[in-house]
Amino acid sequence: MSQIRNLQIYCSCGKKNLFQQVCLNKSCRATNRVYCLKCDKRNEHFTCQYNVKDEEGLIQFFEDIGKKMEIYILNLQESLRKIVEGFNELTKTLRNKCQYNKQRLQELNEQDLKNIIDQIFQFQDEFEKGLEEEMQNCSKNMLIKLNNWIDELRTKSKNLGEDIIIQRNTLYRDKLQEQKIQRARTLKQKIQRAQKLKEEIEKQKRIINEKTQQLFFKQATYQDQENQIDDRYIEYHPSHDPNLKRNRIKKEKEAQLGRPIMEILIEFIPDPTIFNRDPNITTIQNKFKIFSIELNQKAFEKNIITIEKIQIPNDYTVKHQYYWTCIRTLKPIVFSQLKDVYLMKRADSFQDEVYILKMPIGGQPYKSMNEAMKDCRSHLISKRYMQKFIEELNDKGCNTPPIKYQDLLILQEDEKSFFIAERFFEGEFIEFNNKYGYINDNTEKINALSQVFTYYTYFKSDFNYLICNVQGVGYNFTDPSINTIGGDFDDNDFGAEGQMGFLINYEYYKDKFKEYLKILDIYE
C-alpha cells in the first residue's frame, strides 16, 4: 500500500520525483539536503547517515524547532516585561518625589516644605540630566541592536524565499507547459465533439421527421401490430376501440423519440383532472405519508461551484407534512428512459388537484428515502438557482415574472416504498431548451429569461455546469437537467458535449439577451 504524502516537495535531480530523505546534520556541506532514492547526489550524505530522516522526521524536526522558538520568544517577552516593570517603578518614584498638588502641599509644614524644595534642586543638579541622558543612550543602543537583528532575519528570509521561488519555477516549468498543451488539446477536442454533436442533432432531426412521415402513412398497419405492444404502460378497457389503440401506439412512439414527459401527457390525456372517472383507465387506492423536501440555502451557497459536494441527506430538509389517501393509475400513463409516470389525486379532498407520480422505470418504487432524494437533486438545485436568479434581477430593478420550479413531495407507502410527486398544471407546455443543445427561438420574454438562466448558471458555477431542459407550463417549471463538465452528476448529465451544444446555439441568439446579461454583470 502506497503511503499518503503530506509534502509535495520535489527532488532537484530533474526526474520529477518527490523527495524521500532529508539530511538534518548541522555540519552538512552538501549541495542539497533533500533528495529521492534515485538521485545521484545521495552519496554526498554518506557520512551523515545517522542524521538522515524521512518526511515524518522532517515534520517532527520543524515541530521541535517551533516549540524551542516559542520558549525563546516567551523568554524575550519576560525580559521585556521586567524592563517595563522597572520603568513603571522609576516613573512612579519620580512622580512621588517631585510632583505635589495642592492637597499634598497643604499637608506640609514650613520645615517639610524647605527640605522638599532643597531635594528637588539637588535632584535637578545631580540626577535629572544624567538619568535622562543614560536612559536615551540605553534605548538608542537597544533599538539599534533590535533593528540589526530584524534586518538580518529579514534578509535571510528574503534570500531563502527567492531561492525557493527559483527552484519551484525550475521544477514546475515543464509541468506548466504540459498543462497548457493539454488544455489546448482538450479545448480542440471539445470543439470537435461539439461540432459532431451539432451534426448528430441535425441528423436526428431528419430521422425524426422521416419517422413521423412513416407513422402518418402506416397508421393502418399499426392496428395489426397492437397485440405485440407491452400493455404494462397503459391499461385500457378491452373495448377494442381503434381510436384508443392508435392513440396508445402513438404515445409510445412519441415517448421513444425523447419528447418531454409532461408534453406527451398534456397532449394525449384529454382531461387529467378526471382520470379516475375514465372507464378505460384502471385505478387503485393508496395511503401515503407525505414529506416536503428542500435543499438548504447555506449548503447551496457553499457548494454553488461544486454541486457534487452537496450531501444526502445532511444538506436537505425533509419534513413530514400530512397523511393522504390517494387514487392513482394502476399502470404508467407515459414513460421515459428513466421514469414511469402515473397520475394521482387525493381521495380525501374535494379539490381536483392532480399530481404527477414518478418511480424508476420498471414499475418498482424507490427503496429508501435517500434513493428518492437522490433523484430530486437536479430539481432542488435548479429551484434554488431560479430563486437566486429572479431575486438578483428584481434587486436590480428588472420587473421579472414569478418563474419558479415546482415544490416536490416524497410519498412513503411503507418502509421500502417511496415515490416522488409534483403538481400537474394545465396549459401549454413549452420546452425552452434541452440537454442536447436545442434553444427555442420564441421571441417572448419568458423564453429570453430561460436562455439567460441557463447561461447564468454556467457563469456562476465558474463554467463547471449549466442547468438545461428548461421547460414548463406558464411560470411553473419542471424536470430540469444539469450538464456538468465531467458528465457524471446523474443519468441525465450529457456532460461537456451537452454544454457545447447549448453554447454553440446560444452564440447565435446571444444578442437578444444582452440586456439581461448587462443587468447581471455577466461577461462573455
Side-chain angles (χ1 to χ4, degrees), residues 266 268-278 343 354 424 426:
I266 292 172
F268 289 102
I269 303 297
D271 187 355
T273 62
I274 56 172
F275 73 88
N276 54 313
R277 303 177 200 168
D278 190 333
L343 287 175
V354 177
F424 169 81
E426 293 185 273

Side-chain angles (χ1 to χ4, degrees), residues 138 312 317 364:
C138 289
I312 294 175
T317 299
Q364 296 298 318

